[in-house]
Amino acid sequence: MTLPRITVLGECVADAFTEPASTRNELALRVLPGGGPANTAVALARLGTPARFLARLSGDVFARLFRAHLEASGVDLSHAVQAAEPSTLAVAELDTQGQATFSFHAQGTADWQWTSAELAGVDLAGTACVHTGSLALAKEPGAAVVEDFLAAAAPRATISIDPNVRPLLVPPEVYRARLAHWCGLADVLRLSEDDLELLLPGTPPEQACDIWHAAGARLVVITRGADGALASLDGERVRVPAVATPVVDTVGAGDSFTAGLLHHLGTRGLLGGRLTDLRLEDVEAACLFATRVAALTCSVAGPNPPWQDQLAQFATAGDA
């Protein structure tokens, strides 16, 4: 079975994790390829969905790591831009629950410099879904170019957006100011509880879903960590539980959830338009699948999503 292609647009970030050093006056870092959109592209490809990643990749040592990681996972980089700027670096500190706090080194880096000319030649024939979000959709000067690309893609592809708010790099008010416009472009909006609190402080999840439906998003999914996920399809809601798993860290879990959600919808032939054939039971099944993909990501260090054959331990009848 050939699954429909999903095109992902966004950043690839060097995630550096602190490790014990041999002496007191040095800092040891372990660098892994990350970045929300890149993580989603990798997870999609490992699940078996043809995934193309539109990225601006530097020529530095981090970008060579990115390319090797993406290509080894089966991601199509044929439309990646060779960028002159350096790669973005994020340094992560983990708390006792495996939650990461990031500090970013992102001034003038490759990921945010998109031009209209770089995206003008991208052929979306055969692409059922375009997914983006995170910093590439919020950080200038490239953010407006990405928005224009989504608007041009919308007539022929399902649009999926993950805001993935990063307040250390982009003030939350920038996301708030653009979110209604993004919902007007998006068919799928996936975000975390933390994103919700930054975007609509103190707003109950159900009320937030209705606000974003009114702005245009048909399917809103709010992931809630150990409490699972809330999904809302045009105001019809379903909650799905999380999968219990030993947690090493939660880095990339939301990105893996998004990939699992889109992959499952793609296997059912539900991507490629405005989700007009989507039913609440389809959403529930896709979210249940996505929670297993996210759980496996949490069980290993860093943004390292599972391969399709690793999902057997969580498989149930009828899952992709």
Side-chain angles (χ1 to χ4, degrees), residues 15 17 39 92 94 98-100 102 249-256 297-298 300-304:
D15 285 341
F17 296 84
N39 296 339
L94 301 177
Q99 295 278 354
F102 288 95
D249 65 52
T250 62
V251 178
D255 309 320
S256 289
T297 303
C298 292
V300 297
N304 187 17

Side-chain angles (χ1 to χ4, degrees), residues 2-300:
T2 301
L3 298 180
R5 182 173 65 193
I6 294 179
T7 293
V8 181
L9 190 162
E11 68 266 19
C12 200
V13 175
D15 285 341
F17 296 84
T18 57
E19 292 196 337
S22 57
T23 64
R24 292 178 60 186
N25 63 344
E26 69 179 40
L27 176 67
L29 296 174
R30 178 180 180 225
V31 178
L32 297 174
N39 296 339
T40 300
V42 166
L44 283 165
R46 291 184 178 185
L47 291 172
T49 287
R52 179 173 60 180
F53 187 41
L54 306 181
R56 301 186 85 258
L57 298 179
S58 177
D60 61 20
V61 63
F62 296 129
R64 292 194 289 275
L65 173 67
F66 301 158
R67 284 185 178 274
H69 172 63
L70 289 156
E71 289 173 348
S73 296
V75 176
D76 175 6
L77 293 179
S78 61
H79 283 74
V81 174
Q82 182 69 49
E85 303 85 3
S87 299
T88 304
L89 174 66
V91 180
E93 292 187 83
L94 301 177
D95 64 18
T96 55
Q97 283 75 47
Q99 295 278 354
T101 301
F102 288 95
S103 60
F104 290 92
H105 305 267
Q107 187 66 35
T109 52
D111 299 286
W112 335 119
Q113 314 303 321
W114 285 106
T115 67
S116 298
E118 289 171 339
L119 293 174
V122 177
D123 182 6
L124 290 177
T127 290
C129 176
V130 175
H131 171 75
T132 189
S134 197
L135 292 163
L137 192 56
K139 194 164 171 57
E140 298 297 349
V145 175
V146 175
E147 288 184 349
D148 289 344
F149 180 77
L150 293 182
R156 68 181 71 188
T158 300
I159 304 297
S160 167
I161 290 177
D162 174 4
N164 197 15
V165 182
R166 290 286 183 251
L168 291 178
L169 273 182
V170 179
E173 53 264 29
V174 173
Y175 293 87
R176 294 184 201 122
R178 301 305 297 159
L179 190 56
H181 178 63
W182 296 344
C183 287
L185 296 170
D187 303 290
V188 181
L189 181 71
R190 201 292 302 177
L191 67 164
S192 69
E193 264 189 329
D194 291 340
D195 293 331
L196 168 60
E197 186 57 30
L198 287 165
L199 293 168
L200 293 174
T203 304
E206 293 83 0
Q207 182 182 346
C209 289
D210 289 339
I211 291 170
W212 294 325
H213 288 321
R218 287 209 62 207
L219 174 61
V220 179
V221 181
I222 301 173
T223 50
R224 309 181 65 226
D227 292 325
L230 167 68
S232 183
L233 177 64
D234 292 333
E236 289 187 278
R237 323 246 206 247
V238 64
R239 294 179 181 269
V240 299
V243 174
T245 187
V247 175
V248 174
D249 65 52
T250 62
V251 178
D255 309 320
S256 289
F257 182 98
T258 299
L261 176 73
L262 296 177
H263 169 79
H264 198 279
L265 294 177
T267 64
R268 300 318 192 255
L270 294 168
L271 298 178
R274 303 284 75 83
L275 306 178
T276 52
D277 295 329
L278 189 63
R279 301 166 301 170
L280 194 61
E281 51 263 43
D282 301 318
V283 172
E284 182 176 19
C287 287
L288 286 168
F289 178 81
T291 60
R292 293 195 288 278
V293 181
L296 278 174
T297 303
C298 292
S299 71
V300 297

